[in-house]
Amino acid sequence: MNDMKNAGTVATIPSDAEVTARVEALLGRMSLEEKVGQLAQISGADFMPGPKAEEIIRKRGAGSVLWLNDTKKFNELQKIAVEESPSGIPLLFALDVIHGYRTIFPVPLAMASSWDPAVAEQAQTIAAKEARAAGLHWTFGPMLDIARDARWGRIVEGAGEDPYLGAAMAAAQVRGFQGNDLADPERVVACAKHFAGYGAADGGRDYDPVFLSEAQLRNVYFPPFQAAVNAGVATFMSAYMDLNNVPASGNRWLLRDVLRGEFGFAGFVVSDAIAVGNLVVQGHARDGRDAALRSLKAGLNMDMASSVYLENLADLVNEGLLSMAEIDEMVRPILSLKVRMGLFEHPYVDETLLEKVVALPEHRQAARVAAQRSMVLLRNEGGLLPLPKTLKNVAVIGPLADSMEATEGSWMVFGHKPAAVTVLQGIRAKLPEASVTYAPGPEIRKDIPSFFDEVIFSEAQKPIQTPEAAEAAFQTAVETARGADVVIMVLGENANMAGEFASRGSLDLPGRQEELLKAVVALGKPVVLVLLNGRPLSINWAAEHVPAILEAWEPGTEGGNAVADILFGEVNPGGKLPVCFPRSGSHAPLYYARTLTHQPEDHPQYRSRYWDSPTTPLYPFGFGLSYTTFSITNLNVSASQVKIGESVTVTADVTNTGKVAGDEVVQLYIHQKWGSDSRPMRELKGFKRVPLNPGETKTVTFNLGADELRYWSTNAGRWLQDAAAFDIWVGADSLATLHADLEVVN
Ligand code: BGC
């Protein structure tokens, strides 16, 4: 179908009035069956029961097709929708393009570690361009769930624990995916998910219920979603779980009052997969019919893959339980989006485009830079890093050292075959003259496999290593390390160990990895630990005994090259943690922005909240080292006292006091000392990643105004700015000590 006319050309942007007129004209000639078709997102994959996509589309059309990643098939289905379905309304093809389509970027948690929204925007711009060239219109991203519990597997998909950083990353990703114009043929429609509170699952167990106060929702969990709306996100996805006992996909308060009413969102909401049907399983709806009624009334436009809308909505209208006006209200924004995208004029994709687009060298280059910028140097005793390129004899050890899957990480695009440069390959490419030996050591594996392990992750499908084979692999790894001058250990988690269906109780290195690390360190060689993982890990032993630790996360297609760039000093790491690292899984949820207790940690009589371990994080939020040193000085607040509603300017100087160029992320934290509610002991309210040459000083400027100083108050039941005193800190992480005072008065 390469000759299909109008494939991928730029559409003219219709005015709002034109969009409305076209949508109303369409609605006027659509049957109820067809309208309901637009409210359904149907599976393009064979694993779902029920009628096949072709059949549904031919009969009544459909809003969207998901779980299909086949350019030719897109055109075939689109042809049925446009030429054979009654109203000829084109389909939206949707898929999870979370951190790259073919060129895979670092996972979102890693991207947040860059503290560089521009790099996230560029990554999603490229992801959008590749995905659109493949024929996709819509991605289920960005994932905006604040996650303060590292046991929760889906922490990997978001920007970490903080609403301010999360909001910045949210807006950047929306801009990257969507650009400025929904008709841009190189962009895809974004979907802010999962609305809302999913990251606070009880015990970090995926899908478990969430109980959050209105204040927590509004102050912590909503800000990234509000930022996405402000950035123009066209769609939302409702979450799976119960929020305060009402499932998010049937939650009228969330979908109507907050999202539409308060945020002013004018797009449409799709459920999470099968979530409408699951209202029955969750004990909210009596049966599918009741589920359809509840979700539609709650304001959920599109049913992802449960068929419950398709099977019940028309009957509900015919029986008078729903009005046609209620159906039209839900269909309108779906049709509007299709009109605005120019889909009616350009429904098809040029089947030759993708291979040209993915071959663009700037995509690989951008992936490498993104990976470099997202890595966090956690330890570097004695300046072991960077390593000299003159090394002759290096051993690369660990189960992830040569794993493409672990390097590209969680949430691979449906059907994607990992093709990353592994850490081993990156190091070999950097040291062409040296002997670089390799041994994986014992394999690592989830104790309880998930559905995804059976269908997606090739490493989970390999035969299980016997204990004897594991022991032999262990010994080989130690012997390989013994023969080297420097050992680079690549440990962490497989790609399937974080993500959906991938929560865990412990945050320790899985399997025999720590035992292997100890055995290698015992050899007395210089050891560098490179971590590939999608969540914080409680690497307590390593943090004391391994001189150099680089948190590389799941760094994507160019990950191995980026690791080598950093290990050998071509790039100076400048990433910072977007989550704290707890010392144990049992300490989760752990986050820096807690309110004070009556006996704070520094109280002389009360040193620890647990008697068996300190409750401070192993590494704090915002932490990360560099190959150079920085000083942050001259904190200045433009006024020591302001009235409610007024702003101050906060400035500080940051100087590179070392010998190589590097980036420092300068962070601004506040604490409101008293008021209507107690407020967190620290809250991030500004950050800037600043590149500095040796000896160079730059002044960083932040604005603190009503937006930063107000909060949603439980006591007042509304947004509020108190007259109160504030601490202000500026520094290099959430433990910053450079301090100033600010007083806000009536
Ligand atoms: C996930 C969503 C995802 C959807 C479609 C669900 O299981 O929770 O994040 O977008 O599937 O693949």
Side-chain angles (χ1 to χ4, degrees):
M1 288 190 200
N2 288 335
D3 55 345
M4 272 186 162
K5 68 181 169 68
N6 294 327
T9 26
V10 187
T12 36
I13 308 171
S15 68
D16 287 354
E18 279 166 338
V19 174
T20 307
R22 286 180 61 184
V23 168
E24 294 311 316
L26 280 166
L27 277 174
R29 61 169 199 265
M30 286 165 76
S31 67
L32 175 56
E33 283 282 302
E34 288 169 78
K35 288 178 184 174
V36 172
Q38 292 303 307
L39 300 179
Q41 182 171 57
I42 60 176
S43 170
D46 291 334
F47 53 68
M48 296 299 287
K52 292 285 154 261
E54 285 84 346
E55 205 183 307
I56 300 171
I57 298 164
R58 189 170 286 118
K59 190 168 147 222
R60 53 169 19 181
S64 171
V65 173
L66 87 161
W67 297 326
L68 181 68
N69 188 14
D70 179 339
T71 305
K72 200 160 169 298
K73 191 83 193 280
F74 289 146
N75 277 337
E76 286 166 15
L77 291 182
Q78 194 69 295
K79 191 162 189 287
I80 300 175
V82 171
E83 296 184 10
E84 298 178 41
S85 80
S87 295
I89 298 171
L91 301 161
L92 280 168
F93 294 109
L95 206 62
D96 296 273
V97 180
I98 304 298
H99 54 114
Y101 177 77
R102 187 79 72 76
T103 308
I104 305 301
F105 287 83
V107 288
L109 189 63
M111 293 299 291
S113 305
S114 73
W115 293 59
D116 183 359
V119 94
E121 180 172 343
Q122 195 198 16
Q124 300 305 28
T125 303
I126 290 172
K129 189 167 172 170
E130 293 187 359
R132 189 65 189 262
L136 289 162
H137 304 118
W138 181 19
T139 178
F140 301 127
M143 191 278 220
L144 304 181
D145 296 308
I146 295 296
R148 297 178 156 190
D149 190 329
R151 296 170 300 181
W152 188 54
R154 303 196 77 169
I155 194 170
V156 62
E157 294 173 55
E161 72 179 56
D162 187 73
Y164 188 89
L165 179 61
M169 289 294 159
Q173 292 189 75
V174 171
R175 289 193 302 267
F177 282 133
Q178 289 192 176
N180 299 321
D181 172 10
L182 291 168
D184 184 339
E186 295 191 344
R187 305 283 179 159
V188 292
V189 171
C191 182
K193 74 183 186 186
H194 310 82
F195 197 58
Y198 186 20
D202 266 2
R205 294 177 295 270
D206 206 7
Y207 310 144
D208 260 11
V210 167
F211 296 94
L212 287 171
S213 70
E214 190 166 353
Q216 284 169 300
L217 284 165
R218 293 184 182 279
N219 292 320
V220 179
Y221 289 83
F222 286 169
F225 290 100
Q226 172 80 70
V229 172
N230 296 348
V233 74
T235 71
F236 257 62
M237 185 187 295
S238 62
Y240 276 127
M241 75 306 140
D242 271 11
L243 175 66
N244 302 328
N245 291 337
V246 183
S249 296
N251 198 312
R252 191 187 172 95
W253 177 73
L254 272 180
L255 302 183
R256 287 198 188 267
D257 302 352
V258 174
L259 181 57
R260 269 83 169 216
E262 295 177 31
F263 295 179
F265 175 68
F268 71 84
V269 182
V270 66
S271 72
D272 203 338
I274 330 181
V276 181
N278 279 343
L279 293 184
V280 181
V281 187
Q282 279 173 271
H284 182 57
R286 175 198 297 259
D287 50 23
R289 187 185 137 86
D290 189 30
L293 184 64
R294 286 177 189 272
S295 282
L296 193 115
K297 291 248 182 216
L300 188 124
N301 305 74
M302 193 181 273
D303 168 2
M304 184 192 287
S306 84
S307 304
V308 162
Y309 271 15
L310 278 180
E311 287 162 13
N312 295 289
L313 286 181
D315 288 350
L316 288 164
V317 173
N318 291 332
E319 289 162 29
L321 288 159
L322 279 175
S323 69
M324 192 65 96
E326 286 176 295
I327 298 287
D328 288 351
E329 181 206 359
M330 290 293 110
V331 179
R332 246 178 222 116
I334 298 169
L335 296 178
S336 276
L337 179 69
K338 292 181 176 183
V339 171
R340 284 187 198 282
M341 289 180 75
L343 268 193
F344 287 85
E345 292 77 16
H346 311 291
Y348 301 110
V349 59
D350 169 356
E351 289 171 20
T352 66
L353 190 58
L354 177 63
E355 293 312 319
K356 293 178 215 153
V357 168
V358 296
L360 292 171
E362 60 263 32
H363 291 201
R364 292 294 284 237
Q365 184 51 27
R368 187 159 175 168
V369 171
Q372 293 164 348
R373 290 180 79 75
S374 66
M375 291 181 191
V376 184
L377 184 63
L378 296 177
R379 195 165 197 247
N380 196 15
E381 288 302 292
L384 176 58
L385 292 176
L387 298 167
K389 273 192 259 174
T390 48
L391 285 177
K392 290 278 167 290
N393 214 343
V394 177
V396 181
I397 307 287
L400 308 177
D402 200 28
S403 163
M404 290 187 184
E405 207 164 84
T407 310
E408 291 200 340
S410 175
W411 257 129
M412 281 174 286
V413 170
F414 193 77
H416 171 78
K417 295 266 170 299
V421 177
T422 64
V423 174
L424 176 66
Q425 289 168 354
I427 291 169
R428 285 197 165 140
K430 197 66 81 190
L431 303 179
E433 308 293 318
S435 149
V436 179
T437 52
Y438 159 64
E443 69 161 22
I444 55 173
R445 192 176 274 267
K446 273 158 72 172
D447 304 324
I448 305 172
S450 80
F451 160 71
F452 282 178
D453 296 325
E454 285 152 29
V455 295
I456 300 176
F457 294 102
S458 64
E459 289 185 2
Q461 291 156 25
K462 285 188 203 154
I464 299 179
Q465 199 172 40
T466 62
E468 297 72 34
E471 182 56 29
F474 189 101
Q475 296 310 334
T476 305
V478 175
E479 288 318 306
T480 306
R482 198 189 301 278
D485 300 329
V486 169
V487 186
I488 299 169
M489 304 279 299
V490 188
L491 308 178
E493 293 187 338
N494 277 335
N496 66 338
M497 290 179 170
E500 194 172 358
F501 295 116
S503 295
R504 58 187 298 230
S506 160
L507 298 176
D508 295 347
L509 286 166
R512 296 181 64 186
Q513 293 183 99
E514 186 160 308
E515 190 190 340
L516 180 61
L517 183 63
K518 286 178 177 167
V520 170
V521 168
L523 299 173
K525 316 259 171 193
V527 176
V528 176
L529 171 59
V530 175
L531 290 169
L532 297 188
N533 49 307
R535 61 153 60 79
L537 294 174
S538 48
I539 48 159
N540 305 319
W541 188 87
E544 275 188 36
H545 298 97
V546 182
I549 307 175
L550 179 69
E551 176 52 86
W553 302 113
E554 295 171 344
T557 306
E558 283 289 321
N561 283 331
V563 166
D565 293 337
I566 288 179
L567 294 185
F568 294 93
E570 285 174 24
V571 170
N572 188 354
K576 301 273 185 169
L577 296 178
V579 277
C580 65
F581 272 44
R583 293 170 196 271
S584 158
S586 67
H587 294 189
L590 189 69
Y591 49 94
Y592 80 94
R594 303 178 308 282
T595 51
L596 289 164
T597 73
H598 73 289
Q599 282 194 326
E601 266 101 345
D602 55 4
H603 191 284
Q605 286 154 12
Y606 199 93
R607 291 191 197 90
S608 180
R609 303 240 169 307
Y610 298 134
W611 59 253
D612 58 354
S613 64
T615 47
T616 51
L618 183 59
Y619 297 109
F621 175 81
F623 174 79
L625 302 171
S626 166
Y627 294 156
T628 187
T629 49
F630 300 97
S631 74
I632 300 175
T633 55
N634 291 336
L635 173 57
N636 182 61
V637 183
S638 60
S640 57
Q641 198 182 71
V642 288
K643 290 205 168 104
I644 286 178
E646 288 178 352
S647 298
V648 289
T649 303
V650 180
T651 56
D653 293 340
V654 54
T655 303
N656 182 343
T657 51
K659 294 197 170 52
V660 291
D663 292 1
E664 179 60 294
V665 180
V666 182
Q667 302 162 38
L668 167 75
Y669 294 89
I670 65 164
H671 169 230
Q672 179 178 325
K673 293 193 197 178
W674 61 77
S676 172
D677 294 15
S678 36
R679 303 295 304 141
M681 57 174 104
R682 293 211 174 190
E683 287 180 281
L684 182 73
K685 291 293 175 182
F687 65 87
K688 275 200 183 102
R689 182 165 172 155
V690 186
L692 291 160
N693 287 318
E696 191 182 2
T697 298
K698 284 182 184 158
T699 301
V700 180
T701 304
F702 302 104
N703 184 64
L704 270 184
D707 282 351
E708 289 76 27
L709 299 176
R710 68 173 199 155
Y711 64 98
W712 201 90
S713 157
T714 298
N715 245 341
R718 62 178 173 86
W719 289 98
L720 185 72
Q721 193 186 345
D722 283 317
F726 286 81
D727 293 305
I728 295 174
W729 295 272
V730 172
D733 59 42
S734 57
L735 303 180
T737 52
L738 186 64
H739 178 266
D741 289 299
L742 173 68
E743 182 139 17
V744 176
V745 295
N746 279 309

